[in-house]
Amino acid sequence: MEATITCKSCGSVIPDLTDICPTCHIRSPKKMSEKRRLTFFLSLVIGIIIIVVVPMVASLLWMQSN
C-alpha cells in the first residue's frame, strides 16, 4: 500500500511516488525539502573540499618544491 500526502494547495491526495499534485500541478513540499536537503549536503561537501583539502594539497606541493 502506497503512502499518500495531502496537497496543501487544493487538498487532493498526492501519491508518494509523484512530486506534483495531479489536480493543481503544484510541487509537493515534501519533495522540495528532499531536494533542498540534497543541495545542502552537496554544498557542504564541496565547501569542505575547498576549505580543507585544496590548501592541504597546495601546501604539500609547495613543501616538495622547496
Side-chain angles (χ1 to χ4, degrees), residues 22-62:
T23 305
C24 66
H25 305 290
I26 300 290
R27 289 201 177 271
S28 167
K30 177 182 169 190
K31 298 294 182 184
M32 287 174 34
S33 67
E34 289 173 3
K35 290 177 184 176
R36 285 187 192 127
R37 197 174 317 134
L38 177 63
T39 302
F40 174 75
F41 177 74
L42 290 175
S43 300
L44 185 64
V45 169
I46 290 170
I48 289 171
I49 289 171
I50 290 172
I51 292 171
V52 175
V53 175
V54 170
M56 189 169 55
V57 169
S59 72
L60 287 173
L61 290 174
W62 182 79

